[in-house]
């Protein structure tokens, strides 16, 4: 959060991804009139151990809750 402070008004939206993961947060943003969301999955930063764990468990990386993370 502190790293975003210098950006001031350039930050238009922030969402907590703890519940519902990235997809839920992006859906909230996309519900705003005149807003569209397009995500390039290859640009989503995923910790090295998370990808394989999700694959083994059959979980979608974009739907997994991300405790302590923010989307800005």
């Amino acid at each position: 959060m502190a790293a975003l402070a210098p950006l001031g008004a350039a930050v238009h939206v922030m969402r907590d991804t703890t519940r519902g993961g990235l997809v839920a947060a992006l859906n909230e943003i996309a519900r705003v009139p005149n807003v569209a969301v397009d995500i390039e999955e290859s640009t989503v930063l995923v910790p090295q151990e998370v990808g394989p764990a999700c694959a083994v468990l059959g979980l979608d990386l974009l739907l997994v809750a991300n405790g302590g993370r923010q989307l800005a």
Side-chain angles (χ1 to χ4, degrees):
M1 301 288 288
L4 295 175
L7 299 175
V11 177
H12 297 280
V13 66
M14 293 181 73
R15 290 290 186 275
D16 180 2
T17 60
T18 300
R19 294 187 180 177
L22 182 60
V23 169
L26 290 172
N27 277 328
E28 281 183 29
I29 294 167
R31 287 185 185 143
V32 174
N34 300 317
V35 172
V37 175
D38 185 23
I39 184 169
E40 189 173 321
E41 288 186 51
S42 64
T43 65
V44 176
L45 299 176
V46 178
Q48 222 172 357
E49 62 277 1
V50 174
C54 284
V56 167
L57 297 171
L59 300 173
D60 184 328
L61 283 169
L62 300 180
L63 298 174
V64 173
N66 295 284
R69 302 288 181 197
Q70 287 284 338
L71 172 67

